[in-house]
Amino acid sequence: MAALIPVILCGGSGTRLWPRSRKLRPKPFLPLIGPKTLFQSTLERCDRADMFMPPLVVLGADHLALAMEQTRGQLGKRKDVRFLVEPMARGTAAAVALAALSVPEDALMLLCPSDHHIADTAAFHHAVNQASSLAQQDWLVSLAITADRPETGFGYLQRGEALEDYGFRTRRFIEKPDLARAQQFISSGDYAWNSGIFLFKARVFLEELQRYRPAMLRHVQDAMAAGQHDGSSFTPDPQLFDKISGESVDYAVMELTDRAAMVPVQCGWSDIGTWSAMQDALSADDQGNHVHGAAELLDCRNVLVESNSLRVCAIGLEDVMIIVDGQDVLITTRAGAQKVGKLKAATQE
């Protein structure tokens, strides 16, 4: 089998997890689920010498020192992590193009967002092996999360004809639906959640990027050619990189290509995109409450409390979240958690 290289993507600011997630220390670098950060847990999932080559981390300059610090001690004796430093954010398509131009053309690339939670690592590895087999046949493969509820916060993949005995062609990508459409998707049984985890050959991705976004690929190539190495990190030329029009991998390639495939998986996946998603990923008491930090709850149900400073006392609440970070306090219902990123405080810090 060709080399399988994890590409850890560290973009995004995680504004919907304010006040804990902030620009200089965003969601991937926080210990939101357990003692390790989401970034460290992502590295740990890819720390199998029999399965993975050393990872390639793509991130912004503001977070390079933080990522290097959190990488130490996370990969056992394997210290050869490489870092691709984006001069400015230009979307995941450009980030993946940087990675694809930095590895052997027939290497398999496993794109891993650094801010996701996966509870069942064994199931994840099994699905990666299946996706690798399809990627060897020049498919661009998505890990498709089995949808067990009508979720409006995720994109969906519609299943097409079968490939082998474990995968399918991807008939289409669907952006976040309203509740009625999400309920239809669940009832049909033909749809899965789009995890944003992809696996494909570097060469195949670059061929499709040339097909659909040739200007983007040209600008990335130019920025790479004029870039600079600094130890284990590489930074493309900022002026040339700035010419790139930012787009996601989904928009630029995956929604357009006729090589899209999907492998279903149940691995306890969550994108930890909101406080409600985080609450769902955490353990709770008999009343559905989860408390981390100093707190006292009385007659409360389905309440999340996260505090690293002040003591929180609550009575008679239901489906409410209370987040304390230093002197900042967020109080929201589960329904309101999707809107946290619209707060001025969340976008300014």
Side-chain angles (χ1 to χ4, degrees):
M1 179 177 290
L4 177 53
I5 301 174
V7 177
I8 314 299
L9 303 175
C10 293
S13 57
T15 55
R16 289 182 295 170
L17 287 176
W18 184 89
R20 191 60 50 79
S21 178
R22 302 175 187 256
K23 287 183 179 179
L24 292 181
R25 197 176 184 91
K27 176 173 69 162
F29 304 106
L30 299 174
L32 297 175
I33 307 291
K36 295 180 180 178
T37 68
L38 296 176
F39 173 67
Q40 289 172 324
S41 295
T42 304
L43 288 174
E44 192 173 70
R45 282 194 295 275
C46 300
D47 187 21
R48 276 187 52 176
D50 64 325
M51 187 172 182
F52 300 107
M53 299 292 288
L56 184 60
V57 178
V58 187
L59 75 176
D62 287 344
H63 304 134
L64 177 59
L66 190 58
M68 286 183 164
E69 175 189 342
Q70 293 194 3
T71 298
R72 297 188 187 102
Q74 290 303 306
L75 295 174
K77 297 179 180 179
R78 300 173 65 191
K79 306 297 184 183
D80 43 358
V81 181
R82 292 186 294 151
F83 298 89
L84 286 174
V85 184
E86 297 176 285
M88 63 284 295
R90 286 296 180 265
T92 54
V96 175
L98 284 175
L101 291 167
S102 303
V103 301
E105 66 173 19
D106 283 323
L108 299 178
M109 299 169 53
L110 173 64
L111 307 189
C112 295
S114 61
D115 56 356
H116 291 185
H117 171 65
I118 292 177
D120 189 343
T121 301
F124 171 73
H125 288 161
H126 181 68
V128 168
N129 281 326
Q130 291 178 325
S132 296
S133 296
L134 289 179
Q136 290 278 28
Q137 302 171 47
D138 289 355
W139 292 99
L140 290 89
V141 188
S142 303
L143 292 197
I145 307 299
T146 302
D148 57 7
R149 64 184 185 276
E151 175 62 59
T152 60
F154 300 149
Y156 286 73
L157 306 172
Q158 184 180 20
R159 187 172 63 196
E161 60 265 33
L163 298 172
E164 307 297 341
D165 57 356
Y166 48 80
F168 303 88
R169 290 185 74 113
T170 304
R171 180 167 295 168
R172 61 175 176 148
F173 286 69
I174 303 98
E175 289 303 305
K176 298 174 183 178
D178 59 25
L179 182 59
R181 289 191 75 203
Q183 290 171 333
Q184 292 174 359
F185 294 165
I186 298 300
S187 298
S188 76
D190 289 336
Y191 295 81
W193 292 329
N194 178 8
S195 68
I197 302 172
F198 303 105
L199 203 158
F200 40 65
K201 287 180 183 177
R203 171 183 55 79
V204 175
F205 175 77
L206 292 173
E207 288 173 356
E208 295 303 273
L209 192 63
Q210 173 64 38
R211 180 179 177 186
Y212 298 110
R213 297 292 187 269
M216 179 187 293
L217 177 57
R218 184 176 66 254
H219 291 318
V220 174
Q221 289 171 326
D222 291 344
M224 289 283 287
Q228 297 290 327
H229 284 278
D230 183 6
S232 61
S233 68
F234 176 84
T235 303
D237 181 83
Q239 290 185 329
L240 296 173
F241 197 80
D242 191 35
K243 295 181 179 181
I244 298 167
S245 298
E247 278 189 291
S248 69
V249 169
D250 299 61
Y251 284 140
V253 173
M254 297 301 297
E255 294 183 11
L256 303 174
T257 183
D258 56 5
R259 298 180 178 184
M262 55 191 282
V263 168
V265 59
Q266 291 178 290
C267 59
W269 171 88
S270 173
D271 70 344
I272 315 294
T274 63
W275 285 112
S276 55
M278 180 171 161
Q279 184 179 29
D280 291 338
L282 294 167
S283 59
D285 63 18
D286 293 342
Q287 300 302 311
N289 301 318
H290 176 88
V291 172
H292 183 261
E296 181 182 356
L297 304 184
L298 181 62
D299 297 333
C300 291
R301 296 186 58 207
N302 299 325
V303 170
L304 171 70
V305 176
E306 288 274 337
S307 177
N308 61 14
S309 56
L310 305 176
R311 181 174 61 181
V312 174
C313 297
I315 302 173
L317 298 182
E318 184 170 352
D319 295 329
V320 169
M321 300 171 181
I322 304 170
I323 316 300
V324 181
D325 188 83
Q327 297 301 306
D328 290 312
V329 180
L330 169 70
I331 302 173
T332 180
T333 61
R334 277 185 63 92
Q338 288 279 357
K339 299 180 180 179
V340 171
K342 296 182 179 180
L343 292 171
K344 289 182 180 178
T347 58
Q348 292 174 352
E349 297 184 6

